[in-house]
Amino acid sequence: MLSRLKARITASNLFVLIAVIFGGFFIFATPLLWGADETSHTGRVYQLSHGEIFAREVHDNDSYSAYGFGGDFPESIKKIVNYVNYDFNANGHQDVPGIKWVDIPADYKKFSETALSGQTVDYNFSNTAIYSPLSYAPSVIGFLIARAFDLNFGPTLYLGRSFNLLVYIALFAFLLYSLRHFKVKWVFFVLALLPSSLYQASTVSADPITIALSFLIVGLIVKSFLTKKIGGLTRLDTIILALSAILLPITKPTYIFISFLTLIVPKQSISVPKKYARLFMPVVVGLGVLLYAVWQLKTGYLTNASKWIIAGVVPWWQTIDSAAQVSYVLHHPIEFIKTFLRTLLIGDNNYFNGLFGRLGFTNLQVPALSIVATISAFFLAVFTSETFQRTKRQLFIIAAVFFLSFGAIFGALYLTISDVGQLTIEGVQGRYFIPVLAVFTLFLLIAINLRFDIRSVKTYSSVKKAVVIFAVIGLLVTALKFLYVIWG
């Protein structure tokens, strides 16, 4: 009986259990609409769930500019959005700088019971208007189910969050199961349970799909390096890898370069007929780029949309112009490099903290113990994993994708919400680097073959237990602090 139980305690099963527990906690412990940009994401999901694919011009009298891009939204829920925006921005009675918590918990119970019916009004969600339906597919399913049963706002939002978490868990569980015969699975186990990543997966957001697809690509590439025999990747692995590379560019275009990593997959590892193996991944990458180009063409009118979400909030919003910014960068490349480096030097601590745990619009930083535990688990897993053979070409491509993806984050924000020639790049947040962390992990695994020499089965079993315990500690102390601070 005990041996059967131990056999079922696999990385994938443990991940599902832990992710369900803590992801479920975040779903219900996070106040309505307090996820990162959840007010805007919810507007986009509501629009998609009503069959509208593309955002339109709106005249939103509650925004500073009274103009933007978005769609119809229930007036009753719009009032809740306005209240929530005030609650996590103003926090009138609170005197701890930078920390936000719920002012009146009873109000959120009332909001949860509000019906999603009645008159609709224009709603400006310009910052999420450009994201494709794929980015929101799980949440849209949740909203459609809620609509079929005529559920109120709270249950609807919780269903949207739950389906995001469900898809996130399913995709990572597949990856861990696919890597079940390799020690490297514990690296992805830790990364899947990062507090910042799991929190994002438990809110209405475009991030869960983006994060999961990025790690699927990297994880299956790692497997291809470990199974260079013919058909080392199963047919299902090959299909999932190809679909991930094709779809990632339209979930969040900033991460398009991550799809190019599939070009380093050894052709003999791919489960396709030998005569197609050489061209298979280049065709996959080409399809992803094509899909990206079509979506960008269809949404070209939204190029400067993000300025309308910060209209009135920052003094330079009226002079944001993506085309003029491109011209400035092309004519002043040295100045742009200085701007990039200046922004990076000023904000590096903030980005690091955000990457390893700043949760939603609470500005709540996870405890230092969580960061230490998570990073310890990560490096313990890395330095007890397999070693890899690699070529200079492969290392070059991985490094190039890392720097291009890293730079694309800054570049996109310089074009969309920074003034022309501005001395710093606005809006960069640590959570944006979670998919890039996947690329960094790939480089670390393949470029550095330093490993702990662990030959004892008993010793390695202790290592696995330590990795799991550290990951759980990171989430547990984060959950306790979250509950105490937000609901006090």
Side-chain angles (χ1 to χ4, degrees), residues 382-403:
V382 166
F383 290 117
T384 54
S385 69
E386 294 82 2
T387 56
F388 298 82
Q389 293 182 340
R390 74 283 188 191
T391 64
K392 290 181 179 180
R393 171 182 171 274
Q394 291 163 342
L395 289 177
F396 174 80
I397 291 175
I398 298 170
V401 167
F402 173 80
F403 286 111

Side-chain angles (χ1 to χ4, degrees), residues 258-411:
I258 295 177
S259 293
F260 284 69
L261 287 173
T262 56
L263 297 175
I264 69 172
V265 173
K267 63 179 183 297
Q268 65 268 27
S269 295
I270 307 169
S271 288
V272 297
K274 188 175 180 180
K275 61 181 178 179
Y276 301 128
R278 183 179 295 276
L279 292 176
F280 184 77
M281 285 306 171
V283 169
V284 163
V285 172
L287 288 174
V289 172
L290 178 63
L291 195 60
Y292 162 82
V294 170
W295 182 254
Q296 292 299 110
L297 184 64
K298 290 286 187 180
T299 56
Y301 67 99
L302 295 170
T303 301
N304 284 313
S306 292
K307 68 185 289 183
W308 300 108
I309 208 73
I310 61 172
V313 179
V314 295
W316 61 82
W317 73 270
Q318 288 181 312
T319 53
I320 293 173
D321 186 329
S322 297
Q325 191 75 286
V326 169
S327 176
Y328 172 82
V329 171
L330 292 176
H331 287 88
H332 304 86
I334 302 301
E335 291 304 315
F336 172 68
I337 293 172
K338 289 180 180 178
T339 296
F340 168 73
L341 293 175
R342 184 184 301 114
T343 303
L344 189 60
L345 289 171
I346 292 173
D348 62 338
N349 288 338
N350 188 41
Y351 307 149
F352 179 84
N353 288 333
L355 173 60
F356 288 101
R358 182 168 293 119
L359 307 182
F361 275 161
T362 61
N363 277 353
L364 179 67
Q365 177 64 48
V366 306
L369 176 59
S370 175
I371 296 177
V372 171
T374 299
I375 293 178
S376 298
F378 172 73
F379 281 108
L380 186 57
V382 166
F383 290 117
T384 54
S385 69
E386 294 82 2
T387 56
F388 298 82
Q389 293 182 340
R390 74 283 188 191
T391 64
K392 290 181 179 180
R393 171 182 171 274
Q394 291 163 342
L395 289 177
F396 174 80
I397 291 175
I398 298 170
V401 167
F402 173 80
F403 286 111
L404 286 170
S405 300
F406 191 83
I409 294 171
F410 289 87

Side-chain angles (χ1 to χ4, degrees), residues 84-104:
V84 171
N85 281 333
Y86 174 82
D87 200 21
F88 62 55
N89 283 317
N91 290 130
H93 77 280
Q94 299 170 16
D95 54 9
V96 181
I99 299 296
K100 304 163 183 179
W101 57 83
V102 171
D103 281 337
I104 307 173

